Amino acid sequence: MRLVLQTPLGHTVVLETTPQTWLEDLRTWGAKGFRPAAPPPGGFVLPLECHRCFDWAFLGATAEGEYVQAFGYRWKRRHLPARQGLPEQVKYSRGAWQYEEEGVEGKRQGYVTLIRFEGPGHCGLWCRR
């Protein structure tokens, strides 16, 4: 089994691991600033319950109050209460720059989301120990 991570300087590193130790290996290397591939469009998604205990090391990130430092950016926590049929969610996002979205003009346009915590479910694997 292999973990493919990016160093804090953007180099790709492939680490050999086992099914028994991959999660702990990911946590250990993430705490050193190594990170997975870039977030998918819309960000990573985990159950709302995970927000309380999520281990930011899994993303090579560090939490500082309502902000998270990850992937070379500072992401702000936003709490969106349930409304108009949408579930309650907590997400970490930042302003999108024009070079990130095709056809966008001006300094900033919209937001990019790192991770969203929404909906039912248990966190399990992704909690801090």
Side-chain angles (χ1 to χ4, degrees), residues 82-124:
R83 62 179 164 70
Q84 299 177 351
L86 297 173
E88 175 185 9
Q89 67 176 267
V90 175
K91 69 179 186 175
Y92 287 79
S93 60
R94 62 177 176 77
W97 297 95
Q98 71 181 44
Y99 61 82
E100 294 180 291
E101 298 177 16
E102 254 182 68
V104 174
E105 296 181 12
K107 290 184 180 179
R108 283 195 170 185
Q109 180 68 31
Y111 290 90
V112 177
T113 300
L114 170 65
I115 190 167
R116 290 189 331 258
F117 299 95
E118 67 180 30
H122 298 287
C123 197

Side-chain angles (χ1 to χ4, degrees), residues 12-101:
T12 300
V13 175
V14 178
L15 304 168
E16 294 295 328
T17 188
T18 67
Q20 295 78 25
T21 63
W22 74 272
L23 200 59
E24 193 55 41
D25 291 341
L26 182 58
R27 178 182 277 123
T28 299
W29 286 93
K32 296 177 184 178
F34 287 62
R35 60 187 186 270
F44 300 106
V45 180
L46 290 174
L48 184 60
E49 182 182 301
C50 286
H51 179 255
R52 291 181 288 110
C53 65
F54 184 68
D55 188 344
W56 292 102
F58 287 123
L59 294 179
T62 56
E64 306 161 359
E66 67 178 12
Y67 293 95
V68 168
Q69 188 74 30
F71 295 92
Y73 296 99
R74 189 172 173 175
W75 308 79
K76 183 176 181 175
R77 183 174 84 77
R78 294 166 179 22
H79 178 253
L80 305 171
R83 62 179 164 70
Q84 299 177 351
L86 297 173
E88 175 185 9
Q89 67 176 267
V90 175
K91 69 179 186 175
Y92 287 79
S93 60
R94 62 177 176 77
W97 297 95
Q98 71 181 44
Y99 61 82
E100 294 180 291
E101 298 177 16

